[in-house]
Amino acid sequence: MWAGIESQKAMLFASIKIKLCLIGLLAFFWMPETGAQTKDFTVVIDAGHGGKDPGARGSQANEKAINLQVALNLGRLIEENHPEVKVIYTRKDDRFIELNERADIANRNKADLFISIHVNSLKRGSGVRGAETYTLGLAKTDENLQVAMRENSAILLEDNYEQKYEGFDPNSSESYIIFEFMQNMHVEQSIHFASEVQKCFASAGRVDRGVRQAGFLVLRKTSMPSVLIELGFISNSSEEKFLRSKAGQETLAKSISNAFDRYKRTFDNRQSGVAHQAASASAKKGKAEKTQSEQLSNAGQVVYKIQILTSDKKLQSGSRYFKGYKNVSFFQEKGLYKYTYGESSDFDEIMKLWRKVRRDFKDAFIVSFKDGKRVK
Ligand SMILES: [Zn+2]
């Protein structure tokens, strides 16, 4: 009898133990999943060149190896500092990837930021040194055009590049005319990130060669803010030594990671700014309703709109970039065209609209106007 009860007890405990283990296992498998769901930002890190394409050649090292090491260091730093950020690499080892495919990886993953990492080169023995960061645009100087030409000539190693890039000849300056007529929708955020990168390079003691524009094929097809960083000059022997060194690669990655921190903070503030505005608007609502009769005139009243796009050129009405949205209007700021959709003095109403619009324009945010002027 006793033995029977004891063994029943033992079985009961065993079954409880199995259940606990199962719960434990489930929790174990669930945890990473729950963690993954909280990631609200995706960054794609693109180590330039790879495989049969060495990139610029130094006397000791090739560009592709430096790019890869800095890219991996950068990804590691971002992952350490931002559990909410998903890091995706276009390559994590020494392999060849076509330029269009690099942009496609970012597009397929609906990335929020694309960072392409490269090393610059001039004639061997040239004393030029320092870092520069590019956003997509028409090169204004021959120097910038040469950088784009060198980087774009990677396509010559791709099969059927003539068809894939619609006859684009990376070595002919005439090919680059397409960048004059191209719309760059994310120019404002791209320049913002590029400036942060240059600031952080300067703080780390790098020579700051500034934010520049040129026609890079790898940036052309990306549909998010994107930059191409030239870490330094492999053609300069002391720079090559720095670029090859573990300490140099860590310094460069740390600078870009610091720039990412600053950029991400602005991104988060903008998101939470909308939520904060919503809370204060609904708190004020009751009071506002009482005095509505006194506010019949529009003068001095704040009007909200949703900014959906920024472009460095004016867009035609009905442009495909508006994704079928009608009655899109724009305002100009710092030489850029900023396109807005919707208009209301009721913040709740504009919030409702913003939630809808955000499905089509991920970066959309609310802007306020008073007497026709943009206000903070
Ligand atoms: Zn390169």
Side-chain angles (χ1 to χ4, degrees), residues 48-49 53-56 63-64 67 116-120 147 150-152 154 216 228-230:
H49 313 279
D53 173 15
E63 178 189 354
K64 65 175 183 177
N67 296 343
S116 191
I117 296 176
H118 289 260
V119 166
N120 226 330
V147 175
R150 195 174 46 70
E151 298 295 7
N152 290 337
F216 292 94
L228 185 145
I229 300 171
E230 294 284 357

Side-chain angles (χ1 to χ4, degrees), residues 186-204:
H186 300 279
V187 62
E188 193 181 14
Q189 287 130 302
S190 302
I191 290 176
H192 172 203
F193 180 64
S195 326
E196 296 293 4
V197 171
Q198 285 306 122
K199 266 186 238 162
C200 292
F201 277 147
S203 313

Side-chain angles (χ1 to χ4, degrees), residues 71-129:
L72 294 174
N73 291 356
L74 170 63
R76 191 200 70 234
L77 289 167
I78 293 178
E79 274 172 344
E80 280 169 11
N81 298 330
H82 299 273
E84 80 288 7
V85 172
K86 189 173 176 183
V87 176
I88 292 171
Y89 303 88
T90 54
R91 67 177 179 101
K92 287 177 94 171
D93 51 23
D94 183 20
R95 69 176 70 198
F96 182 77
I97 297 169
E98 303 186 345
L99 291 189
N100 274 350
E101 172 58 13
R102 294 169 190 262
D104 285 344
I105 291 171
N107 294 340
R108 279 202 298 275
N109 286 287
K110 297 192 167 50
D112 298 284
L113 183 64
F114 179 82
I115 308 173
S116 191
I117 296 176
H118 289 260
V119 166
N120 226 330
S121 180
L122 286 168
K123 229 169 72 195
R124 182 72 49 87
S126 141
V128 178
R129 57 169 64 239

Side-chain angles (χ1 to χ4, degrees), residues 267-308:
F267 179 90
D268 292 342
N269 285 345
R270 193 188 261 176
Q271 303 282 323
S272 68
V274 172
H276 177 75
Q277 268 180 298
S280 67
S282 63
K284 279 181 199 154
K285 207 180 173 188
K287 198 176 147 202
E289 269 164 356
K290 279 179 212 151
T291 54
Q292 214 165 29
S293 57
E294 299 156 29
Q295 294 180 342
L296 283 172
S297 107
N298 258 356
Q301 195 177 21
V302 174
V303 173
Y304 305 104
K305 297 178 185 188
I306 301 161
Q307 187 172 322
I308 52 173

